[in-house]
């Protein structure tokens, strides 16, 4: 039981960081929010981003739980397909990060913390890749035995990892402004993409083993 909990916690942290770390337009806006409006407002925006990640993860886990018995009946095939999909998302993200320079964030106006939270919820929610990513991954933590501990640990770890990273961006933005270099931005994006690829590879290996 303890090993399962640790495994789910580690998988959730890796999944949360993998989806949160790439410095795209939302992250650039969050850095700018910290620069213009300070840490408190940027932290509200960070909470908005993490909230969407958490909600998408919950939706994905509940969706897979609904079909848990069917998933278990064809677990090897499902895990293998999910692993391949997750790896494809990571490779796509890596390719985009290597070929495209980070987009410049638009100007950020003075805003209150509630307004920042609502704005970042909207900006994050329009990215469907996040939901697809969690649906593909959640099958690896959903079982037909009815146990809820693993999925709950996984979801909590995803939310905690995402919030921690977004708060770090808010703090960097408020403390250092636009000092994050292009090289650092690309390096962070590469690390995040490799995390996703490694996670997908692990899921695919488990699927191949189940088929074997």
């Amino acid at each position: 039981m303890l090993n399962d909990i640790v495994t789910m916690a580690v998988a959730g942290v890796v999944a949360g960081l993998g989806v949160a770390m790439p410095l795209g337009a939302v992250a650039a806006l969050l850095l700018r929010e910290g620069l213009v409006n300070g840490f408190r407002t940027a932290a509200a925006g960070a909470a908005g981003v993490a909230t969407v990640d958490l909600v998408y993860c919950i939706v994905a886990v509940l969706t897979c739980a609904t079909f848990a018995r069917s998933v278990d009946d064809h677990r090897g095939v499902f895990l293998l397909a999910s692993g391949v999909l997750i790896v494809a998302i990571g490779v796509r993200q890596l390719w985009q990060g290597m070929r495209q320079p980070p987009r410049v964030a638009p100007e950020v106006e003075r805003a209150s913390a509630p307004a920042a939270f609502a704005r970042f919820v909207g900006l994050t929610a329009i990215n469907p890749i996040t939901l697809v990513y969690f649906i593909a991954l959640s099958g690896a933590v959903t079982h037909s035995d009815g146990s809820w501990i693993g999925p709950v640990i996984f979801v909590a770890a995803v939310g905690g990892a995402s919030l921690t990273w977004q708060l770090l961006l808010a703090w960097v933005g408020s403390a250092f402004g636009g000092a994050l270099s292009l090289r650092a931005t690309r390096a962070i994006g590469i690390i995040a993409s490799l995390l996703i690829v490694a996670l997908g590879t692990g899921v695919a290996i488990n699927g191949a083993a189940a088929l074997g």
Side-chain angles (χ1 to χ4, degrees), residues 75-87 140 197-212:
R75 190 159 192 80
V77 174
F78 183 86
L79 288 180
L80 186 59
S82 296
V84 170
L85 177 58
I86 294 166
V87 169
V197 170
L199 199 59
T201 301
V203 172
I205 290 174
N206 287 337
L211 286 174

Side-chain angles (χ1 to χ4, degrees), residues 41-62:
T41 301
V49 177
T51 296
V52 175
D53 288 345
L54 181 64
V55 169
Y56 276 176
C57 187
I58 291 172
V59 169
V61 169
L62 290 177

Side-chain angles (χ1 to χ4, degrees), residues 169-196:
L169 289 182
W171 176 79
V172 168
S174 62
F176 302 105
L180 196 64
S181 68
L182 174 62
R183 179 174 296 180
T185 298
R186 284 182 170 169
I188 292 172
I190 289 172
I191 292 171
S193 301
L194 291 177
L195 281 175
I196 292 176

